[in-house]
Amino acid sequence: AQSVSQHNHHVILSEAASLELGCNYSYGGTVNLFWYVQYPGQHLQLLLKYFSGDPLVKGIKGFEAEFIKSKFSFNLRKPSVQWSDTAEYFCAVSPYSGGYQKVTFGTGTKLQVIP
Amino acid sequence: EADIYQTPRYLVIGTGKKITLECSQTMGHDKMYWYQQDPGMELHLIHYSYGVNSTEKGDLSSESTVSRIRTEHFPLTLESARPSHTSQYLCASSGTTGVSGANVLTFGAGSRLTVL
């Protein structure tokens, strides 16, 4: 069974600072990887996803993530955060296969951006 | 804007009451899910459905039950609520995307249940 580890539970940054949120997964096979975001008072929504191909994927609002297979990592980055990026970020993984693929989530990282 | 709707958004009830959390989606997705979310914890899958008349238990044991009589509707029921059921319940749905058929989940806004 797969698992996801997010090392940072709470991150506080000033506006314009750079962001990197760590995500490591454990699974023996090929995976699909996701970052979801939950803004205050809103529903969880997809930020970006990796299925195959270029390991550097770009998502909405200037976010990107890099899949490093050898490190089982899928870290989320943004060069310059804004106050509006304050949210909770969840990394998720599912096996790369047909049929039902269970999506496993990490515990989330709360990001607080100070103006 | 999410096309998956959950009601009620907030519910406070007494122990022993029966409750049903409603979830509807307008995207025609075959797969639907219920997750339980507690602060500082990962989302735990408690139920899922591949389609009409298909329901399965998820990873986290739950005393709740679900039904899937229509594609768009996936309600969750607790026959006798207890304080241990206090949590946020998230409904989600997915179609299939790309050659991997990966599950990209669309979530509802959640139902926050408090049992006194």
Side-chain angles (χ1 to χ4, degrees), chain A residues 4 9 32 34 36 38 41-46 49 51-52 88 90 94-108 110, chain B residues 1-2 9 31 33 35 37 39-43 45 48 50 59 88 90 96-110:
Chain A
V4 178
H9 297 296
N32 297 308
F34 310 85
Y36 285 83
Q38 188 169 28
Q42 295 188 27
H43 58 275
L44 264 171
Q45 57 189 284
L46 183 70
K49 61 186 184 292
F51 291 166
S52 63
E88 190 160 16
F90 293 88
S94 74
Y96 184 101
S97 66
Y100 171 68
Q101 305 115 19
K102 173 188 166 184
V103 180
T104 299
F105 287 84
T107 54
K110 286 188 178 177
Chain B
E1 195 70 31
R9 290 289 312 278
K31 304 183 189 77
Y33 315 84
Y35 284 86
Q37 181 184 26
M41 305 289 287
E42 63 192 85
L43 277 71
L45 181 68
Y48 62 95
Y50 285 160
D59 300 323
Q88 167 131 293
L90 298 178
T96 55
T97 302
V99 295
S100 72
N103 277 337
V104 176
L105 301 176
T106 300
F107 283 89

Coordinates of all heavy atoms in Angstrom, one line a residue, chain A residues 4 9 32 34 36 38 41-46 49 51-52 88 90 94-108 110, chain B residues 1-2 9 31 33 35 37 39-43 45 48 50 59 88 90 96-110:
Chain A
V4 N 2.0 8.6 2.0 CA 2.6 9.9 1.6 C 3.0 10.6 2.9 O 2.3 10.6 3.9 CB 1.5 10.8 0.9 CG1 2.0 12.2 0.6 CG2 1.0 10.1 -0.3
H9 N 4.4 20.8 8.7 CA 3.0 20.9 9.0 C 2.4 22.3 9.0 O 1.3 22.5 8.6 CB 2.8 20.3 10.4 CG 3.1 18.9 10.5 ND1 2.4 17.9 9.8 CD2 4.1 18.2 11.2 CE1 3.0 16.7 10.0 NE2 4.0 16.9 10.8
N32 N 0.9 8.1 -10.1 CA 0.4 9.4 -10.4 C 0.5 10.3 -9.2 O 0.2 9.8 -8.0 CB -1.1 9.4 -10.9 CG -1.3 8.5 -12.1 OD1 -0.6 8.7 -13.1 ND2 -2.2 7.6 -12.0
F34 N -0.1 14.2 -7.2 CA -1.0 15.3 -7.2 C -0.7 16.3 -6.0 O -0.2 15.9 -5.0 CB -2.5 14.9 -7.0 CG -3.0 13.8 -7.9 CD1 -2.8 12.5 -7.5 CD2 -3.6 14.1 -9.0 CE1 -3.2 11.5 -8.3 CE2 -4.1 13.1 -9.8 CZ -3.9 11.8 -9.5
Y36 N -3.1 19.1 -4.0 CA -4.4 19.8 -3.9 C -4.2 20.9 -2.9 O -3.4 20.9 -2.0 CB -5.4 18.8 -3.3 CG -5.9 17.8 -4.4 CD1 -5.2 16.6 -4.6 CD2 -7.1 18.0 -5.0 CE1 -5.7 15.7 -5.5 CE2 -7.6 17.1 -6.0 CZ -6.9 15.9 -6.2 OH -7.4 15.0 -7.1
Q38 N -6.4 23.8 -0.4 CA -7.7 24.2 0.2 C -7.6 25.6 0.8 O -6.9 25.8 1.8 CB -8.1 23.2 1.3 CG -9.5 23.4 1.9 CD -9.9 22.2 2.8 OE1 -9.1 21.5 3.4 NE2 -11.2 22.0 2.8
G41 N -12.1 28.4 3.9 CA -13.5 28.4 3.6 C -13.9 27.8 2.3 O -15.1 27.9 1.9
Q42 N -13.0 27.3 1.6 CA -13.3 26.7 0.2 C -13.0 25.2 0.2 O -12.5 24.6 1.1 CB -12.4 27.4 -0.8 CG -12.8 28.9 -1.0 CD -12.1 29.5 -2.2 OE1 -11.8 28.8 -3.2 NE2 -11.8 30.8 -2.1
H43 N -13.5 24.6 -0.9 CA -13.3 23.2 -1.1 C -11.9 22.8 -1.6 O -11.2 23.7 -2.1 CB -14.3 22.6 -2.0 CG -14.2 23.3 -3.4 ND1 -14.9 24.5 -3.7 CD2 -13.6 22.9 -4.5 CE1 -14.6 24.8 -5.0 NE2 -13.8 23.9 -5.5
L44 N -11.5 21.6 -1.3 CA -10.2 21.1 -1.9 C -10.3 21.2 -3.4 O -11.3 20.8 -4.0 CB -10.0 19.7 -1.5 CG -9.2 19.4 -0.3 CD1 -9.3 17.9 0.1 CD2 -7.7 19.7 -0.5
Q45 N -9.2 21.6 -4.0 CA -9.2 21.7 -5.5 C -7.8 21.3 -6.0 O -6.8 21.5 -5.3 CB -9.6 23.1 -6.0 CG -8.7 24.2 -5.5 CD -9.3 25.5 -5.9 OE1 -9.2 26.0 -7.0 NE2 -9.9 26.2 -4.9
L46 N -7.7 20.8 -7.2 CA -6.5 20.3 -7.8 C -5.6 21.5 -8.1 O -6.0 22.5 -8.7 CB -6.8 19.5 -9.0 CG -5.5 18.9 -9.7 CD1 -5.0 17.8 -8.9 CD2 -5.9 18.4 -11.1
K49 N -0.8 18.2 -11.3 CA -0.7 16.7 -11.3 C 0.4 16.3 -12.2 O 0.8 17.0 -13.1 CB -2.1 16.1 -11.8 CG -2.4 16.5 -13.3 CD -3.8 16.1 -13.6 CE -4.1 16.4 -15.1 NZ -4.3 17.8 -15.3
F51 N 1.4 12.8 -14.4 CA 1.0 11.4 -14.8 C 2.2 10.7 -15.5 O 2.5 9.6 -15.1 CB -0.1 11.5 -15.8 CG -1.4 11.9 -15.3 CD1 -2.5 12.3 -16.1 CD2 -1.6 11.9 -13.9 CE1 -3.7 12.7 -15.6 CE2 -2.9 12.3 -13.4 CZ -3.9 12.7 -14.2
S52 N 2.9 11.4 -16.4 CA 4.1 10.9 -17.1 C 4.8 12.0 -17.8 O 4.3 13.1 -17.8 CB 3.7 9.8 -18.0 OG 2.8 10.3 -19.0
E88 N -4.1 25.5 2.9 CA -3.6 24.2 3.3 C -3.3 23.4 2.0 O -4.2 23.3 1.1 CB -4.5 23.4 4.2 CG -3.9 22.2 4.8 CD -4.6 21.7 6.1 OE1 -5.7 22.2 6.3 OE2 -3.9 20.9 6.8
F90 N -2.1 19.8 0.2 CA -2.1 18.3 0.4 C -1.4 17.6 -0.8 O -1.8 17.9 -2.0 CB -3.5 17.7 0.5 CG -4.2 18.2 1.8 CD1 -5.0 19.3 1.8 CD2 -4.2 17.4 2.9 CE1 -5.6 19.7 2.9 CE2 -4.8 17.8 4.1 CZ -5.6 18.9 4.1
S94 N -1.4 8.1 -6.3 CA -2.2 6.9 -6.6 C -1.4 6.1 -7.6 O -0.6 6.6 -8.4 CB -3.6 7.3 -7.2 OG -3.4 7.8 -8.5
P95 N -1.6 4.7 -7.6 CA -0.9 3.9 -8.5 C -1.2 4.2 -10.0 O -2.4 4.6 -10.3 CB -1.4 2.5 -8.1 CG -1.9 2.6 -6.7 CD -2.5 4.0 -6.7
Y96 N -0.3 3.9 -10.9 CA -0.5 4.2 -12.3 C -1.0 2.9 -12.9 O -0.2 2.0 -13.2 CB 0.9 4.6 -12.9 CG 0.8 4.9 -14.4 CD1 0.9 6.2 -14.8 CD2 0.9 3.9 -15.3 CE1 0.9 6.6 -16.1 CE2 0.9 4.2 -16.7 CZ 0.9 5.6 -17.1 OH 1.0 5.9 -18.4
S97 N -2.3 2.8 -13.0 CA -2.9 1.5 -13.5 C -4.3 1.7 -13.9 O -4.9 2.8 -13.6 CB -2.8 0.4 -12.5 OG -3.6 0.7 -11.4
G98 N -4.9 0.8 -14.6 CA -6.3 0.9 -14.9 C -7.2 0.5 -13.7 O -6.7 0.1 -12.7
G99 N -8.4 0.7 -13.9 CA -9.4 0.3 -12.9 C -9.3 1.3 -11.7 O -8.9 2.4 -11.9
Y100 N -9.8 0.9 -10.6 CA -9.8 1.8 -9.4 C -8.4 2.0 -8.9 O -7.7 1.1 -8.7 CB -10.7 1.2 -8.3 CG -10.6 2.0 -7.0 CD1 -11.0 3.3 -7.0 CD2 -9.9 1.5 -5.9 CE1 -10.9 4.1 -5.8 CE2 -9.8 2.3 -4.8 CZ -10.3 3.6 -4.7 OH -10.1 4.3 -3.6
Q101 N -8.0 3.2 -8.7 CA -6.7 3.5 -8.1 C -7.0 4.4 -6.9 O -7.5 5.5 -7.0 CB -5.8 4.3 -9.1 CG -5.6 3.6 -10.4 CD -6.2 4.5 -11.5 OE1 -6.5 5.6 -11.4 NE2 -6.5 3.8 -12.7
K102 N -6.6 3.8 -5.8 CA -6.8 4.5 -4.5 C -5.9 5.7 -4.5 O -4.7 5.7 -4.8 CB -6.5 3.5 -3.4 CG -6.5 4.2 -2.0 CD -5.9 3.2 -1.0 CE -5.6 3.9 0.3 NZ -5.0 3.0 1.3
V103 N -6.5 6.8 -4.1 CA -5.7 8.1 -3.9 C -5.4 8.2 -2.4 O -6.3 8.3 -1.6 CB -6.5 9.3 -4.4 CG1 -5.7 10.6 -4.2 CG2 -6.9 9.1 -5.9
T104 N -4.2 8.3 -2.1 CA -3.7 8.4 -0.7 C -3.2 9.8 -0.5 O -2.4 10.3 -1.3 CB -2.6 7.4 -0.3 OG1 -3.2 6.1 -0.5 CG2 -2.2 7.6 1.1
F105 N -3.7 10.5 0.6 CA -3.3 11.9 0.9 C -2.3 11.9 2.0 O -2.3 11.1 2.9 CB -4.5 12.7 1.2 CG -5.4 13.0 0.1 CD1 -6.3 12.1 -0.4 CD2 -5.3 14.2 -0.6 CE1 -7.2 12.4 -1.4 CE2 -6.1 14.5 -1.7 CZ -7.1 13.6 -2.1
G106 N -1.5 13.0 2.0 CA -0.6 13.3 3.1 C -1.4 14.1 4.2 O -2.6 14.3 4.0
T107 N -0.8 14.5 5.3 CA -1.5 15.1 6.4 C -1.7 16.6 6.1 O -2.4 17.3 6.9 CB -0.7 14.9 7.7 OG1 0.6 15.4 7.5 CG2 -0.7 13.5 8.1
G108 N -1.1 17.1 5.1 CA -1.3 18.5 4.7 C -0.3 19.5 5.3 O 0.3 19.2 6.4
K110 N 0.0 23.6 6.3 CA -0.7 24.9 6.3 C 0.3 26.0 6.0 O 1.3 26.1 6.7 CB -1.3 25.1 7.7 CG -2.6 24.3 8.0 CD -3.3 24.7 9.3 CE -4.5 23.9 9.5 NZ -5.2 24.2 10.7
Chain B
E1 N -15.2 26.7 -9.8 CA -16.4 26.4 -9.1 C -16.7 24.9 -9.1 O -16.7 24.3 -10.1 CB -17.6 27.2 -9.7 CG -18.8 27.3 -8.9 CD -18.6 28.2 -7.7 OE1 -17.8 29.2 -7.8 OE2 -19.2 27.9 -6.6
A2 N -16.9 24.3 -7.9 CA -17.1 22.9 -7.8 C -18.5 22.5 -8.4 O -19.5 23.3 -8.2 CB -17.0 22.4 -6.4
R9 N -23.8 22.0 5.2 CA -22.4 22.3 5.4 C -22.0 22.2 6.9 O -20.9 21.8 7.2 CB -22.2 23.8 5.0 CG -22.3 24.0 3.5 CD -21.1 23.4 2.7 NE -19.8 23.8 3.4 CZ -19.2 24.9 3.1 NH1 -19.7 25.8 2.4 NH2 -18.0 25.1 3.7
K31 N -17.3 7.4 -10.6 CA -16.8 7.1 -9.3 C -17.1 8.3 -8.3 O -16.9 9.4 -8.6 CB -15.2 7.0 -9.4 CG -14.8 5.9 -10.4 CD -13.3 5.7 -10.4 CE -12.8 4.8 -11.5 NZ -12.8 5.5 -12.8
Y33 N -16.8 9.2 -3.8 CA -16.0 8.9 -2.6 C -16.5 9.7 -1.4 O -17.0 10.8 -1.6 CB -14.5 9.2 -2.8 CG -13.9 8.7 -4.1 CD1 -14.1 9.5 -5.3 CD2 -13.2 7.5 -4.2 CE1 -13.5 9.1 -6.5 CE2 -12.7 7.1 -5.4 CZ -12.9 7.9 -6.6 OH -12.3 7.5 -7.8
Y35 N -14.6 11.0 2.1 CA -13.4 11.0 2.9 C -13.8 11.7 4.3 O -14.6 12.5 4.3 CB -12.3 11.9 2.2 CG -11.6 11.3 1.1 CD1 -12.1 11.3 -0.2 CD2 -10.4 10.6 1.3 CE1 -11.4 10.7 -1.2 CE2 -9.7 10.0 0.3 CZ -10.2 10.1 -1.0 OH -9.6 9.5 -2.1
Q37 N -12.0 14.0 7.3 CA -10.9 14.8 7.4 C -10.9 15.4 8.8 O -11.9 16.1 9.2 CB -10.9 16.0 6.4 CG -9.7 16.9 6.5 CD -9.8 18.1 5.6 OE1 -10.9 18.5 5.2 NE2 -8.7 18.6 5.2
P39 N -8.5 17.7 11.7 CA -7.3 18.7 11.7 C -6.0 18.0 11.9 O -5.9 17.2 12.9 CB -7.7 19.6 12.9 CG -9.1 19.5 13.0 CD -9.5 18.1 12.7
G40 N -5.0 18.3 11.1 CA -3.7 17.7 11.2 C -3.5 16.3 10.8 O -2.5 15.7 11.0
M41 N -4.6 15.7 10.3 CA -4.6 14.3 9.9 C -4.8 14.2 8.4 O -5.3 15.1 7.7 CB -5.7 13.5 10.6 CG -5.7 13.7 12.1 SD -4.4 12.8 12.8 CE -4.9 11.1 12.6
E42 N -4.3 13.1 7.8 CA -4.6 12.9 6.4 C -6.0 12.7 6.1 O -6.8 12.3 7.0 CB -3.7 11.7 5.9 CG -4.1 10.4 6.5 CD -3.1 9.4 6.2 OE1 -2.1 9.3 6.9 OE2 -3.3 8.6 5.2
L43 N -6.4 12.8 4.9 CA -7.8 12.5 4.5 C -7.9 11.0 4.5 O -7.1 10.3 3.9 CB -8.1 13.0 3.1 CG -8.6 14.5 3.0 CD1 -7.4 15.4 3.3 CD2 -9.2 14.7 1.6
L45 N -10.1 7.7 3.4 CA -11.2 7.2 2.6 C -12.1 6.3 3.4 O -11.6 5.3 4.0 CB -10.7 6.5 1.4 CG -11.7 5.9 0.4 CD1 -12.4 7.0 -0.3 CD2 -11.0 5.0 -0.6
Y48 N -16.4 4.3 -1.1 CA -16.3 4.6 -2.5 C -17.3 3.8 -3.3 O -17.8 2.8 -2.9 CB -14.9 4.6 -3.0 CG -14.3 3.2 -3.0 CD1 -14.3 2.4 -4.2 CD2 -13.6 2.7 -1.9 CE1 -13.7 1.1 -4.2 CE2 -13.0 1.5 -1.9 CZ -13.1 0.7 -3.1 OH -12.4 -0.5 -3.1
Y50 N -18.1 2.7 -7.6 CA -17.7 2.7 -9.0 C -18.9 3.1 -9.9 O -18.6 3.5 -11.0 CB -17.2 1.3 -9.4 CG -15.9 0.9 -9.0 CD1 -15.5 -0.4 -8.9 CD2 -14.9 1.8 -8.6 CE1 -14.3 -0.8 -8.5 CE2 -13.7 1.4 -8.1 CZ -13.4 0.1 -8.1 OH -12.1 -0.3 -7.7
D59 N -10.5 2.6 3.5 CA -9.5 2.2 4.4 C -9.8 2.3 5.9 O -9.4 1.5 6.7 CB -8.2 3.0 4.1 CG -7.7 2.8 2.7 OD1 -7.9 1.7 2.2 OD2 -7.3 3.8 2.1
Q88 N -15.1 16.3 9.8 CA -15.5 16.9 8.5 C -15.6 15.7 7.5 O -14.6 14.9 7.4 CB -14.5 18.0 8.1 CG -14.7 18.4 6.6 CD -14.8 19.9 6.4 OE1 -15.7 20.5 6.8 NE2 -13.8 20.4 5.8
L90 N -15.9 14.8 3.6 CA -15.8 15.4 2.2 C -16.2 14.4 1.2 O -15.8 13.2 1.2 CB -14.3 15.7 1.9 CG -13.6 16.7 2.8 CD1 -12.2 16.9 2.4 CD2 -14.4 18.1 2.7
T96 N -12.2 9.5 -15.6 CA -10.8 9.0 -15.9 C -10.2 10.0 -16.8 O -10.8 10.6 -17.6 CB -10.8 7.7 -16.5 OG1 -11.7 7.7 -17.6 CG2 -11.3 6.6 -15.5
T97 N -8.9 10.2 -16.6 CA -8.2 11.2 -17.4 C -6.9 10.6 -18.0 O -6.1 10.0 -17.3 CB -7.7 12.4 -16.5 OG1 -8.9 12.9 -15.9 CG2 -7.0 13.4 -17.3
G98 N -6.8 10.7 -19.3 CA -5.5 10.3 -20.0 C -5.3 8.8 -20.0 O -6.2 8.0 -19.6
V99 N -4.2 8.4 -20.5 CA -3.9 7.0 -20.7 C -3.8 6.2 -19.4 O -4.0 5.0 -19.3 CB -2.6 6.8 -21.6 CG1 -2.9 7.3 -22.9 CG2 -1.4 7.4 -20.9
S100 N -3.4 6.9 -18.4 CA -3.2 6.3 -17.1 C -4.6 6.0 -16.4 O -4.7 5.3 -15.4 CB -2.3 7.1 -16.2 OG -3.0 8.2 -15.7
G101 N -5.6 6.7 -16.9 CA -6.9 6.6 -16.2 C -6.9 7.1 -14.8 O -7.6 6.6 -13.9
A102 N -6.0 8.0 -14.6 CA -5.8 8.5 -13.2 C -7.0 9.2 -12.6 O -7.8 9.8 -13.3 CB -4.6 9.4 -13.2
N103 N -7.1 9.0 -11.3 CA -8.2 9.6 -10.6 C -7.9 11.0 -10.2 O -7.2 11.3 -9.3 CB -8.5 8.8 -9.3 CG -9.4 7.6 -9.6 OD1 -10.1 7.6 -10.6 ND2 -9.3 6.6 -8.7
V104 N -8.5 12.0 -11.0 CA -8.4 13.4 -10.6 C -9.7 13.7 -9.8 O -10.8 13.6 -10.4 CB -8.2 14.3 -11.8 CG1 -8.3 15.8 -11.3 CG2 -6.9 14.0 -12.5
L105 N -9.6 14.0 -8.6 CA -10.8 14.1 -7.7 C -11.3 15.5 -7.7 O -10.5 16.5 -7.6 CB -10.4 13.7 -6.3 CG -9.9 12.3 -6.1 CD1 -9.5 12.1 -4.6 CD2 -11.0 11.3 -6.5
T106 N -12.6 15.7 -7.8 CA -13.3 16.9 -7.6 C -14.0 16.8 -6.3 O -14.8 15.9 -6.1 CB -14.3 17.2 -8.7 OG1 -13.6 17.3 -10.0 CG2 -15.0 18.5 -8.5
F107 N -13.8 17.8 -5.4 CA -14.3 17.7 -4.0 C -15.5 18.7 -3.9 O -15.5 19.7 -4.5 CB -13.3 18.1 -3.0 CG -12.3 17.0 -2.8 CD1 -11.1 16.9 -3.5 CD2 -12.5 16.1 -1.7 CE1 -10.2 15.9 -3.3 CE2 -11.6 15.1 -1.5 CZ -10.4 15.0 -2.3
G108 N -16.4 18.3 -3.0 CA -17.4 19.2 -2.5 C -16.8 20.1 -1.3 O -15.7 19.9 -1.0
A109 N -17.6 20.9 -0.8 CA -17.2 21.9 0.2 C -17.1 21.2 1.6 O -16.5 21.8 2.5 CB -18.1 23.1 0.2
G110 N -17.7 20.1 1.7 CA -17.6 19.4 3.0 C -18.8 19.6 3.9 O -19.5 20.6 3.8

